[in-house]
């Protein structure tokens, strides 16, 4: 069963005073539930754009995207927000943590939004699991890059998303921290049976995927 289907997706960015950029030029793909798909390709080929439109964070200019049977391009913003909160986890290269919230609050937030009564306990358990039990009350600016990425990982998985998107999750980390984040990501994926779509420049990481998609100039080769 395909959990994600994209058909002829086009995404164009308008730039004031300059020509527009065709970041996605008709992308069609299917991802089966439970699959681990790696996306690779040169800088500027459209990988991050693909992830943001596939996950419903941004809308394409043309084409359709079905997430777990729901047509993202036709959905109302409220339904889309609910879908993102309950079904989707997103791990950003530059973490996107809320600066005014502690590590613990950042992780608990999506679960509280979903009305989860044990959000705080679950968040604490996840942070302990990734070795951050001494950092629960730290704010993002007090954490190292590797620590921030582990907090972001806990936040991405707290609602046990059916679909997990990760954009170069190890891009800003040294080798050891990068391997640690990947190990945790794959462990958590296995436990909740999530589908994972991950952008990476690492051949070693791509080699661990069920399938590798290579992007070039806004298309999948
Ligand atoms: N907000 C934006 N406004 C205008 N152009 C954009 C915007 N975001 C991306 N682009 C352009 O769209 C194209 C695809 O960008 P994208 O970020 O998807 O590439 P990428 O494959 O993720 O690259 P990288 O490996 O460097 O992260 C690039 O030409 C980029 O300059
Ligand atoms: Mg990118």
């Amino acid at each position: 069963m395909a959990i994600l289907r994209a058909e002829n997706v086009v995404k164009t960015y308008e730039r004031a005073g300059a020509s527009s950029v065709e970041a996605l030029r008709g992308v069609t793909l299917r991802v089966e539930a439970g699959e681990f798909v790696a996306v690779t390709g040169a800088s500027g080929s459209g990988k991050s754009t693909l992830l943001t439109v596939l996950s419903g964070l941004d809308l394409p200019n043309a084409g359709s995207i079905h997430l777990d049977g729901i047509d993202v391009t036709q959905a109302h913003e409220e339904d889309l927000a609910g879908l993102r909160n309950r079904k989707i986890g997103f791990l950003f290269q530059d973490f996107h943590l809320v600066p005014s919230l502690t590590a613990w609050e950042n992780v608990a937030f999506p679960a509280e939004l979903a009305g989860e009564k044990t959000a705080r306990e679950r968040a604490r358990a996840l942070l302990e699991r990734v070795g951050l039990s001494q950092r629960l009350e730290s704010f993002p600016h007090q954490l190292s890059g590797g620590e921030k990425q582990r907090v972001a990982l806990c936040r991405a998985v707290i609602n046990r998303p059916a679909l997990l998107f990760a954009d170069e999750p190890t891009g800003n980390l040294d080798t050891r921290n990068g391997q640690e984040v990947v190990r945790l990501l794959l462990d958590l994926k296995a436990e909740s049976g999530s589908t994972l779509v991950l952008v990476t420049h690492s051949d070693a990481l791509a080699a661990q995927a069920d399938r590798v998609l290579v992007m070039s100039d806004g298309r999948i080769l």
Side-chain angles (χ1 to χ4, degrees):
M1 229 292 270
I3 190 163
L4 175 61
R5 279 189 290 133
E7 262 165 62
N8 285 314
V9 170
V10 174
K11 178 70 186 178
T12 308
Y13 293 111
E14 301 301 333
R15 295 180 303 173
S19 55
S20 57
V21 178
E22 279 196 298
L24 298 176
R25 301 168 187 253
V27 170
T28 297
L29 63 83
R30 284 171 67 99
V31 177
E32 306 300 321
E35 233 188 332
F36 170 13
V37 175
V39 180
T40 66
S43 178
S45 59
K47 305 180 298 296
S48 294
T49 304
L50 181 67
L51 243 55
T52 52
V53 299
L54 289 181
S55 60
L57 286 175
D58 199 2
L59 286 174
N61 297 77
S64 68
I65 294 163
H66 285 82
L67 274 177
D68 208 16
I70 295 169
D71 186 343
V72 168
T73 56
Q74 303 295 323
H76 291 288
E77 180 47 41
E78 279 168 42
D79 298 337
L80 209 51
L83 180 75
R84 282 197 297 260
N85 179 236
R86 284 177 286 99
K87 296 268 171 89
I88 293 169
F90 206 111
L91 192 53
F92 299 90
Q93 177 172 14
D94 47 2
F95 324 123
H96 286 215
L97 296 173
V98 180
S100 59
L101 299 181
T102 63
W104 196 0
E105 291 165 344
N106 263 285
V107 176
F109 185 64
E112 284 170 343
L113 204 62
E116 173 68 63
K117 297 229 165 36
T118 59
R120 299 281 293 193
E121 289 74 34
R122 294 253 313 282
R124 181 214 283 268
L126 275 169
L127 284 162
E128 283 174 355
R129 166 114 190 251
V130 303
L132 292 178
S133 52
Q134 305 301 313
R135 296 285 183 274
L136 296 176
E137 306 288 355
S138 296
F139 289 92
H141 76 272
Q142 299 169 317
L143 299 170
S144 73
E147 289 170 343
K148 276 187 276 215
Q149 192 58 298
R150 279 181 277 160
V151 173
L153 176 58
C154 292
R155 181 186 56 180
V157 300
I158 192 163
N159 284 345
R160 299 187 186 92
L163 255 166
L164 193 52
F165 294 94
D167 194 353
E168 298 189 40
T170 61
N172 279 321
L173 307 180
D174 62 31
T175 311
R176 196 178 59 82
N177 272 302
Q179 283 171 349
E180 176 72 359
V181 164
V182 167
R183 195 181 56 76
L184 288 164
L185 182 63
L186 295 181
D187 283 355
L188 293 165
K189 174 199 179 298
E191 280 163 33
S192 42
S194 302
T195 308
L196 174 63
V197 180
L198 172 145
V199 169
T200 184
H201 284 286
S202 158
D203 292 336
L205 179 48
Q208 297 181 56
D210 298 317
R211 190 152 58 102
V212 182
L213 303 177
V214 182
M215 289 205 70
S216 174
D217 203 15
R219 291 194 175 87
I220 291 173
L221 295 182

